[in-house]
Structure formats: C-alpha cells, structure tokens
Amino acid sequence: MKNRLEEIRKSHGVKQEELAAALEVSRQTIGSLENGRYNPSIILAFKIARYFNMDIEDIFIYEEDENEKK
Amino acid sequence: MKKNNYKDYLIAALGLILLICGLVIIKKVSEPQDIMRALPYIFIGIGCGAFGQGMGQIISYRVVKNNPDILKQIEIEKKDERNIAITNYAKAKAYDMMIYVFGALMVCFALMGVEFIEVILLVCAYLFVIFYGVYCRSKYEKEI
C-alpha cells in the first residue's frame, strides 16, 4: 500500500514530531509510514485522515494488482 | 507509568532478603547435603534478579516522576502500534527458532545417553510449549 502522507504532512507544514505527538505514536512510526515500510492499522489510518480532515483513500492508496501478484 | 510503586520496593526488599539469606547459608552451612548444596545459589540468583528489577523500576520512576514529557514519551513508545508489531514479530521468530533448537537439543541429549528422566522432562516442557501454542491459536480463532 502506498501513501501520500509525507506530501500531505509537508503541505500542512507539520513536522514528523508534531504529527507523532498528535497521533500518540512514535516519530519512527511516522517515518516508516512515509517510507512505505509499515502499513498502519485501520485505527491509525483513521486518526491520520481525521488529523488532516481528509478521507483515508486520499492518503492511502491500495494497489490491488501488486497485492494479487503476491 | 504507575504512580504507586510500593510493589517495586517490596520486590527489591524481598530480593535483598533472598540474596542475604543465600549468602548467610553459604557462610554458615559448612557441609551442605542434597538440596542445601543448590538452594543458596538459587536464592542468590532469584534475589539478584528481583533486587535488580525492583531497583530498576524505582530508579526509572524517580527519574521520570518530575518530568511529564519523558513520562508521556515512554507511554507513547510503549503503546506505539509499530513497536508492538515489531515485538510480536521478534517473539514469533524466536518461537520458531526455539522449536528447532529445542528439537535438536532433545536429539543431542538422547544420543549423549543423558538420563531418561531428564530427556523426558525436556520433551514434556517442549510439548507443553507446542500445545500451549495450539491452545492460544484455537482461543484466538474464536475471539478474533
């Protein structure tokens, strides 16, 4: 699953530390999410979407083809 | 982190008492027989562990007591879903490894001609862990 978290976070002028504190997760989690190394739980995905007042689909992109190949 | 840490003081005190008891037994009992040969060392081992654990908790509590920022950060790190996922992956990997290591150890013990009762105890412990895994799986199948 890809995401636009880094792009959205930067466009809102929010630092990784600030986002991590607001979502009550570690800064490393935000970093891993942005790098695509970690897929969040549905709860964290909702928290992120609500933080930016967006829909989950606007931030996280589900790639069906890639998943089917696996 | 919990505010009331009287349990840590209790654990540290019990650990210290066990440690002292172990040392006293070694010093006082000149010719130990049977269980008394191992008991003081077990006391010292458990005592050191409990004392270290208790003191560690007390010191960490005192360090963070007057610093709510550190306290909050520790809470976040502890509850962080990625950290929990990493810990669970690591535990699962270690469990898989343990299955092979213990299996190999049982074969080695059997080939070395170790006493039957010791091999049986190891096999029982191994099977207990395996069946506990099966039990947990069946339990979570129903719950999740």
Side-chain angles (χ1 to χ4, degrees), chain A residues 24-26 29 32 38 41, chain B residues 72 76-77 80-82 85:
Chain A
E24 296 193 327
V25 295
S26 67
T29 298
S32 292
Y38 175 66
S41 68
Chain B
K72 174 93 177 153
I76 286 173
E77 293 285 340
D80 181 59
E81 64 171 50
R82 179 174 159 272

Side-chain angles (χ1 to χ4, degrees), chain A residues 1 11 13 21 24 26 36-37 44 46 56-58 60 68 70:
Chain A
M1 188 166 67
S11 71
E24 296 193 327
S26 67
R37 287 198 305 263
L44 183 56
F46 267 111
I56 287 180
E57 292 89 340
D58 295 333
F60 297 96
E68 278 171 359
K70 285 175 186 174

Side-chain angles (χ1 to χ4, degrees), chain B residues 43-55:
Chain B
F43 277 5
I44 291 170
I46 296 172
C48 282
F51 181 69
Q53 162 79 14
M55 284 309 289

